[in-house]
Amino acid sequence: KKNKYALPEKYNLTVGVIKLTQRGFGFVTADAEKFLDRESRNDRFVPAEFLNGAMDGDRVMVKDDEAHFRPRSIVVKILERKTSSFIATVRKNRIMSQDEKIYTNYRLVPVNKKDLDPLDGKKVIFKIIKWPDGESSDIKVDIERILGDSDDPRVDVMSVIHTYGLPEEFDEKVVEYAQKVIREKKTS
């Protein structure tokens, strides 16, 4: 406050990564406790109505709600976003995220709804244009890349590659080595 700094613990704040559940609520594991085993940690429970725009994997600051009869926390600030895009399938002009944690808490809204018309049944990488906030649960999205038909196994592979941030193409040296192994295998 007012350009002054203090340790978060002094103001009953916790900094950590939030993990959302499919039912919509989340748990924050404090940065200082992330290497402890599950029984030793003191994860903070965050009800869905107090996420304030936080999404799975975001680094957040939470405040314990001591006025409530059950232990719970409220997201007061999102410090770092985990992702800027996600994969979804378009069905009847609706965006159906692969990640149920997004779909449970937030409404996915395309920048231009007409862009969805020709995409029925396609898997698409959507770029997040506007994050949800405490006032709105909308995530404004735009099309980043069309992967292909949702029932095509190659598209599933591309989905996994994107989800885990893997390279889409192999390094030239790796390709050359693989071709060398294939040649050797054929001659033996």
Side-chain angles (χ1 to χ4, degrees), residues 5-7 9 29 40 54 57 59 63-64 76 83 114 129 137-138 140 161 170-171 178 181:
Y5 298 92
L7 293 172
E9 297 84 24
T29 299
S40 302
R59 195 157 171 272
K63 181 167 183 52
D64 293 337
V76 293
T83 187
K114 289 181 181 178
I129 304 298
S137 63
D138 291 355
K140 282 252 197 240
I161 287 171
F170 291 107
D171 185 81
V181 169

Side-chain angles (χ1 to χ4, degrees), residues 144-163:
E144 183 174 304
R145 184 169 149 203
I146 301 166
L147 294 176
D149 290 327
S150 62
D151 56 0
D152 183 342
R154 292 174 296 187
V155 172
D156 288 338
V157 171
M158 292 304 295
S159 295
V160 171
I161 287 171
H162 176 78
T163 300

Side-chain angles (χ1 to χ4, degrees), residues 71-123:
R72 68 179 188 184
S73 296
I74 301 166
V75 173
V76 293
K77 188 170 187 175
I78 298 164
L79 303 172
E80 185 181 333
R81 292 287 187 182
K82 178 185 176 189
T83 187
S84 60
S85 64
F86 64 92
I87 297 172
T89 301
V90 177
R91 296 257 187 250
K92 297 179 183 170
N93 277 351
R94 293 193 60 215
I95 302 169
M96 310 297 282
S97 172
Q98 287 186 163
D99 186 348
E100 292 176 6
K101 296 170 190 171
I102 291 176
Y103 191 67
T104 301
N105 293 316
Y106 304 108
R107 194 169 71 105
L108 304 170
V109 181
V111 171
N112 187 351
K113 191 143 177 108
K114 289 181 181 178
D115 289 345
L116 297 181
D117 290 340
L119 298 177
D120 195 52
K122 304 277 190 219
K123 267 195 184 175

Side-chain angles (χ1 to χ4, degrees), residues 120-146:
D120 195 52
K122 304 277 190 219
K123 267 195 184 175
V124 178
I125 299 174
F126 286 96
K127 181 179 179 182
I128 298 173
I129 304 298
K130 183 184 176 295
W131 296 96
D133 53 36
E135 297 170 20
S136 169
S137 63
D138 291 355
I139 301 176
K140 282 252 197 240
V141 297
D142 202 3
I143 297 167
E144 183 174 304
R145 184 169 149 203
I146 301 166

